[in-house]
Amino acid sequence: MTPWTLHPDRALPADPVTRPIAREIYQAVQDLPIVSMHGHVDVAAFADDEPFPDPAQLLVVPDHYLTRMLVSQGAKLPELGVGPADGPGFEPDPREIFRRFCAGWKHFRGTPTRYWMEHELVEIFGVTVRPSAETADQVYDQIAECLADPSFRPRALLDRFGIETIGTTDPAWSTLEDHARLAADLPGRVLPTFRPDPLLHPARPTWRGDLERLATASGIATDTYAGYLEALRERRAAFVAAGGLATDHGHFSADTTPLPDDAARTLFEKALQGSADGAGISTAEEAAFSAHMLFQMAAMAADDGLVMQFHPGVLRDHDPAVAATFGPDKGYDIPVVTEFAHGLRPVLEAFGSSESFRMIAFTVDEDVYSRELAPLAGVYPALRLGAPWWFLDAPDAMRRFRESATETAGFSNMSGFVDDTRAFCSIPARHDLARRVDAGYLARLVAEHRLDLDEALDTAADLAYHLPKLAYAAR
């Protein structure tokens, strides 16, 4: 059998004029260090530096891109190792989970998941046979053998993958103990990102408990609106002290309209009382409060310099029953139409020209790139346009992004690529794909005599490395 290999020109343009140019541009940037500032790999993986448990837990179970496709073809989440271990139908055998993944390999044809997974299997683990029901055990055994080698432990893979800096995503009440351990061993390498979302949505059933966690972590009582704000400020300061450079906000709406202080205080008190007696606040009131708190987060960012990453526009937990059983981020989150021009106006009016504030805006609504986000990023100094994210970090969507946003925002108002992944080994694959797509776009500009080759090479290096460093630099 011919060994399974990957074409060196994969994802580059097919036409013979631009492909050689794209190849030259890609080769110039393919080995640049990775700056992975927006992701969800568990910090404990690096702090503990233990071997990954098995191929299924590493590659299948944490990757909701992968599991959602298999679910769409009839698999059940418990069969893929997702959910409570004591739940009905839960599959405890990692080999059986991996077999289900390999048997469904054909379903990933044409998807970015296919590209990432084949890059991981071939380039990282040296797999030489394509996944299938027949080859599943062979592939599993080869990966398992690699994982037993100390060179495949998390910290070693940081070096192997060329990851210069990686950001984790941590709740506001995190003790940051793992980050303190890493700061001693890997200074400046693994950085915390402040994620306050659960605290900004008082209708969530966990809100009151999360307020108590915030109070414990900060040492500040959160039973008043003033104390709540002060506790958030204290935790932000703790993240800054731990090396954090950014916050992360995943709201449904892009609305950032502030409320008068009295009105915000009243809603906070009503929500606090309601979470105790079951009355709660209305949907409209919660939306107003969360929009107000986004403005407060921006105001705090202007004070402490944390870069505000903002990615609204996803209807989380589309199937409430699935969410209740398996928790969030299990593939049932769906993009919705999002409006930014009016939504971001309050924050940009207040801080859009501030030298101490930066926001990076992401979207999964492609229509707004050319209509709203590129024009906004193309004029407000504090706003950067985030890379295609989640459902859009696919080759054709990334090409469309470059074509729709560059003419208005230019390249300098971009933030570089973010991988947004829990699946650690997909990080180099995702960045590699982005570099190939950008090389193809830049090659077309060269072929059309819209850029000189030296300019394209310089821009490719910016997109791959320099712009993310600038976008997330301490302000």
Side-chain angles (χ1 to χ4, degrees):
M1 181 182 295
T2 303
W4 185 36
T5 59
L6 304 180
H7 197 287
D9 290 337
R10 59 192 183 279
L12 297 183
D15 73 89
V17 175
T18 55
R19 173 166 280 194
I21 304 170
R23 186 186 300 130
E24 181 176 354
I25 295 170
Y26 167 70
Q27 289 172 350
V29 299
Q30 63 176 324
D31 294 325
L32 286 177
I34 290 173
V35 178
S36 175
M37 285 300 299
H38 184 116
H40 304 284
V41 178
D42 187 352
V43 62
F46 303 113
D48 298 337
D49 201 34
E50 296 291 334
F52 293 105
D54 58 69
Q57 287 296 327
L58 176 63
L59 300 177
V60 180
V61 177
D63 193 338
H64 63 81
Y65 288 90
L66 189 154
T67 56
R68 72 185 300 274
M69 178 60 76
L70 296 177
V71 166
S72 77
Q73 293 299 310
K76 306 298 182 186
L77 283 172
E79 296 173 345
L80 302 172
V82 177
D86 58 353
F90 182 83
E91 178 55 70
D93 183 355
R95 187 178 290 273
E96 187 60 34
I97 294 169
F98 201 80
R99 286 170 179 158
R100 289 193 173 100
F101 156 63
C102 289
W105 180 250
K106 67 175 291 183
H107 304 313
F108 297 100
R109 293 171 183 169
T111 69
T113 303
R114 159 69 178 259
Y115 181 94
W116 304 328
M117 286 301 302
E118 63 185 13
H119 180 112
E120 293 173 62
L121 294 173
V122 176
E123 301 290 339
I124 298 174
F125 296 106
V127 172
T128 57
V129 294
R130 186 181 295 160
S132 67
E134 293 73 28
T135 63
D137 285 347
Q138 179 182 345
V139 175
Y140 184 99
D141 290 338
Q142 184 163 349
I143 298 172
E145 183 178 351
C146 290
L147 297 183
D149 189 317
S151 66
F152 281 83
R153 293 198 178 185
R155 294 190 188 185
L157 288 178
L158 282 175
D159 294 330
R160 179 171 177 177
F161 294 165
I163 298 176
E164 179 178 290
T165 308
I166 186 168
T168 63
T169 302
D170 309 272
W173 52 81
S174 171
T175 64
L176 301 176
E177 291 177 357
D178 286 335
H179 280 285
R181 293 161 58 193
L182 287 164
D185 298 340
L186 299 172
R189 195 84 178 271
V190 183
L191 306 179
T193 300
F194 180 80
R195 183 72 179 256
D197 286 1
L199 297 162
L200 310 187
H201 294 84
R204 293 188 180 183
T206 61
W207 185 67
R208 190 179 184 91
D210 293 338
L211 279 185
E212 293 172 359
R213 294 182 182 92
L214 176 64
T216 300
S218 65
I220 298 170
T222 57
D223 56 352
T224 67
Y225 176 64
Y228 165 69
L229 292 180
E230 189 57 33
L232 286 167
R233 291 190 189 95
E234 190 283 333
R235 295 309 300 154
R236 292 175 66 102
F239 274 69
V240 171
L245 297 176
T247 66
D248 189 25
H249 307 270
H251 291 222
F252 177 76
S253 167
D255 187 14
T256 61
T257 303
L259 297 168
D261 286 344
D262 287 347
R265 184 181 303 107
T266 297
L267 282 181
F268 177 85
E269 292 171 352
K270 182 177 180 181
L272 194 62
Q273 179 61 35
S275 65
D277 63 20
I281 62 176
S282 71
T283 301
E285 288 173 327
E286 198 219 14
F289 185 81
S290 64
H292 168 79
M293 287 308 301
L294 278 173
F295 187 91
Q296 299 307 309
M297 292 294 99
M300 293 182 195
D303 288 337
D304 61 31
L306 288 175
V307 175
M308 187 174 183
Q309 300 177 110
F310 186 37
H311 48 87
V314 177
L315 177 57
R316 307 275 175 169
D317 304 328
H318 195 271
D319 187 327
V322 171
T325 303
F326 302 105
D329 303 315
K330 296 300 183 288
Y332 280 55
D333 299 336
I334 306 298
V336 295
V337 173
T338 309
E339 194 280 331
F340 285 87
H342 293 93
L344 293 185
R345 191 173 188 178
V347 159
L348 294 177
E349 282 183 328
F351 311 111
S353 297
S354 171
E355 293 183 358
S356 64
F357 177 72
R358 171 156 298 151
M359 172 183 281
I360 302 175
F362 299 86
T363 187
V364 282
D365 181 357
E366 285 193 81
D367 292 344
V368 303
Y369 279 138
S370 59
R371 187 182 66 240
E372 298 179 40
L373 285 177
L376 288 169
V379 69
Y380 283 100
L383 184 64
R384 293 289 180 269
L385 184 51
W389 157 73
W390 204 343
F391 292 94
L392 301 182
D393 54 359
D396 290 334
M398 288 192 284
R399 292 186 186 102
R400 291 193 296 269
F401 166 75
R402 289 283 172 236
E403 292 168 353
S404 64
T406 303
E407 291 178 337
T408 303
F411 291 112
S412 298
N413 289 311
M414 309 289 183
S415 66
F417 183 69
V418 299
D419 47 78
D420 186 48
T421 186
R422 292 166 178 78
F424 180 40
C425 288
S426 74
I427 291 176
R430 293 174 193 234
H431 284 262
D432 179 75
L433 178 56
R435 294 175 185 190
R436 289 172 181 270
V437 171
D438 285 343
Y441 176 74
L442 292 166
R444 179 165 71 81
L445 298 186
V446 172
E448 294 174 357
H449 307 291
R450 297 165 62 188
L451 280 183
D452 291 334
L453 180 58
D454 65 319
E455 293 178 299
L457 291 166
D458 185 62
T459 302
D462 282 345
L463 294 171
Y465 180 69
H466 299 296
L467 284 175
K469 288 180 69 70
L470 285 171
Y472 289 92
R475 298 180 66 72

